[in-house]
Amino acid sequence: MTFGVGSWVLTGCDSGSKGVPKKKAPPSEKTEPPAAAPEKKPAAAPSPGGGKAEVVLEVGDQIVYSQTKIEVATGATVELTIKHTGKLPKAAMGHNFVLLAQGTDMNQFAMTAMAAAATEYIPANMKDKVIAHTKVVGGGESDTITFTAPAPGEYAYLCTFPGHWQQMNGKLIVS
């Protein structure tokens, strides 16, 4: 038997099906649509009249915070957890959260903080510039602090572990 050009017909069946057609669900059975990807939750949302704001700030074996913007209502009780999801110890890749008072020079604070290892990189002579801070955490560790959101405005936060602050900083926005 001879085949001419164009006599071959290819059909769309996958190699794993072995020629067996796919079974369709009977009309009486309901099929669930595929689950949607989880929506990334904002760090915290403003709550009227203060209230409570729970914030989880994740960090890892890179020099980055999971959020660089946190929004809360003035007077809110803020419960902030810094959670180190990495594996490196704090001596190698420690992270903290330090919320500074308005008007504080972040560069000057960070430079002074590098020499304050004994006090979790919070310089004793600049404690009056700190609204709240966590301890330094390493891989697998976390620390939770509670503080009252200050007056409306923008407040800088940063990681004061040496060399981190330029990449690990953000804004607490209080409304």
Side-chain angles (χ1 to χ4, degrees), residues 7 27 152 161:
S7 356
F161 191 85

Side-chain angles (χ1 to χ4, degrees), residues 30-52:
K30 292 184 180 178
T31 56
E32 295 293 321
E39 188 177 314
K40 190 168 181 174
K41 186 177 147 183
S47 53
K52 184 174 182 182

Side-chain angles (χ1 to χ4, degrees), residues 32-81:
E32 295 293 321
E39 188 177 314
K40 190 168 181 174
K41 186 177 147 183
S47 53
K52 184 174 182 182
E54 295 181 27
V55 179
V56 176
L57 194 58
E58 291 186 349
V59 295
D61 290 338
Q62 299 81 33
I63 302 174
V64 65
Y65 282 127
S66 60
Q67 290 96 16
T68 57
K69 180 179 169 184
I70 301 170
E71 297 180 34
V72 297
T74 189
T77 299
V78 180
E79 184 178 280
L80 182 134
T81 300

Side-chain angles (χ1 to χ4, degrees), residues 4 10 21-22 31 43 49 51 56 66 78 80 91 99 104 110 125 127 130 145 150 152-153 169:
L10 298 174
K22 291 182 179 179
T31 56
V56 176
S66 60
V78 180
L80 182 134
L99 180 63
T104 302
N125 65 335
K127 277 191 170 188
V130 176
I145 59 171
N169 62 72

